[in-house]
Amino acid sequence: MKLRTISLAVAVSAACSTSVAAADSSDPIVIPIHNWSSQIVMSHVVGQIFESMGNNVEFVTTDSQAVYESVRLGDVTLELEVWEGAFGASFRAALEKGGLHDAGDHDAVTREDWWYPMWTKDACPGLPSWEALNDCADLFATAETGSKGRYLDGPVDWLKHGQERVAALGMNFQVVNAGSAAALWAEIGAAEADKKPVVVFNWTPNFAEAVWPGEFVEFPVWVDGCDKDPAVGPNPDALYDCGNPANGYLKKAAWDGMEGKWPAAYGVLSKISFTNPQIAEMAKFVDIDEMEPEEAAEAWLEANESVWQSWLN
Ligand code: TMO
């Protein structure tokens, strides 16, 4: 902690002596917090960097779809994890209305979709094809879903169109929303002892890939417009008849007023870029090591000083 503060002070004073940029406003930079661990830890990592630069930071817990409207209006200053699969549509809608912008991509490549732990494939060897999964729907039937297979989707604010995809592809599955990310891990953990077949929402980068080997279900490949134009995708009469992008982006988004109001913090934001292993580790600190998000952020900053120092110049 002490080392970090000292080297940050050196870096900041070096930057100040060679630049005539206006000072950042003392109003708080408002950083939104959502309901999955990497986003919470990353938000604290970046918040702690901003605080070390002398900025005030305020964290607010917000809905992960509605946040794009809040950033557009300047009620929230930025968003650090714009996942293409879950939030691409809300991000694009806010971009079109104006007020927020794309503040650059992280290095990370993302995927979010139906996923199963590898033992599921022993019971349904045609996987990962979605048609093979559908032929095995019986294996996933529960008291709750009757003759249909149960698919445990993420919380309702992540992905809105699971049941519509099932209908568009004529699948014999029922979508059930988990109440939290923890409910997804509990579902996989409970199935593990008996190697019970399960299919749940999952994503990468995440801690889960280091714990449970598994695969994403291969749906019809995502094509731009699959959520807007029924003609796109294999079913000519339906939206949502594609999987999520298999090589999705992870972006940062910022309120258009951020650069003018907090120019130094904005300069750092524009350079920030996390990799897949860095993001998976942030999740692991919380979901496996059971650290508090603030503690996890401190640990990450201490262990990765050279990474974030490079964003301050
Ligand atoms: C938004 N998420 C990364 C949980 O899919």
Side-chain angles (χ1 to χ4, degrees):
M1 269 308 270
K2 192 161 272 163
L3 259 183
R4 170 159 72 83
T5 312
I6 292 165
S7 46
L8 217 152
V10 170
V12 170
S13 59
C16 289
S17 64
T18 56
S19 137
V20 290
D24 281 3
S25 167
S26 61
D27 289 353
I29 297 170
V30 181
I31 301 181
I33 299 279
H34 306 308
N35 51 353
W36 66 97
S37 300
S38 68
Q39 196 274 347
I40 303 172
V41 175
M42 187 190 296
S43 295
H44 283 286
V45 163
V46 173
Q48 288 180 24
I49 293 173
F50 288 166
E51 283 172 350
S52 303
M53 296 165 61
N55 284 296
N56 292 312
V57 172
E58 186 180 313
F59 296 98
V60 292
T61 299
T62 79
D63 178 284
S64 59
Q65 302 285 351
V67 71
Y68 296 96
E69 186 67 9
S70 304
V71 175
R72 191 177 81 73
L73 298 172
D75 296 336
V76 165
T77 311
L78 54 84
E79 168 62 54
L80 290 163
E81 286 195 8
V82 186
W83 291 68
E84 182 172 9
F87 311 121
S90 293
F91 175 59
R92 285 190 295 273
L95 269 180
E96 275 169 31
K97 289 193 197 167
L100 97 174
H101 61 273
D102 179 341
D105 285 16
H106 291 281
D107 176 77
V109 176
T110 65
R111 187 166 187 181
E112 308 161 83
D113 225 320
W114 297 40
W115 177 95
Y116 53 86
M118 215 46 115
W119 63 77
T120 298
K121 200 172 180 172
D122 298 336
C124 186
L127 287 169
S129 117
W130 71 271
E131 288 117 320
L133 176 71
N134 198 40
D135 289 343
C136 294
D138 283 357
L139 289 176
F140 303 89
T142 63
E144 181 187 13
T145 59
S147 63
K148 294 181 192 292
R150 178 174 186 267
Y151 166 60
L152 186 64
D153 207 346
V156 282
D157 63 318
W158 293 353
L159 293 140
K160 299 285 189 192
H161 304 291
Q163 196 63 54
E164 284 151 286
R165 187 195 292 182
V166 161
L169 295 174
M171 294 178 76
N172 192 26
F173 270 81
Q174 184 176 327
V175 176
V176 175
N177 286 105
S180 65
L184 298 170
W185 319 138
E187 177 96 353
I188 302 167
E192 191 169 13
D194 300 342
K195 304 287 184 268
K196 184 166 108 57
V198 286
V199 58
V200 304
F201 179 72
N202 198 353
W203 61 91
T204 184
N206 193 2
F207 80 93
E209 52 215 280
V211 180
W212 298 291
E215 292 176 338
F216 289 101
V217 175
E218 297 294 344
F219 281 97
V221 170
W222 166 261
V223 183
D224 276 331
C226 194
D227 57 348
K228 287 265 154 58
D229 179 359
V232 174
N235 180 340
D237 302 316
L239 300 177
Y240 311 115
D241 48 339
C242 303
N244 288 322
N247 296 292
Y249 63 63
L250 185 68
K251 285 184 181 295
K252 303 160 287 177
W255 173 49
D256 285 351
M258 183 182 177
E259 183 169 15
K261 190 164 178 182
W262 298 280
Y266 184 82
V268 171
L269 175 70
S270 65
K271 289 185 187 146
I272 286 172
S273 173
F274 292 103
T275 64
N276 286 58
Q278 288 166 350
I279 293 167
E281 186 180 36
M282 290 178 191
K284 172 189 170 285
F285 281 160
V286 171
D287 290 317
I288 308 264
D289 304 338
E290 301 188 346
M291 294 169 132
E292 292 301 320
E294 294 87 342
E295 260 184 277
E298 283 171 20
W300 193 90
L301 286 162
E302 272 192 43
N304 294 277
E305 190 154 351
S306 63
V307 173
W308 57 266
Q309 282 284 344
S310 71
W311 301 330
L312 296 175
N313 302 314

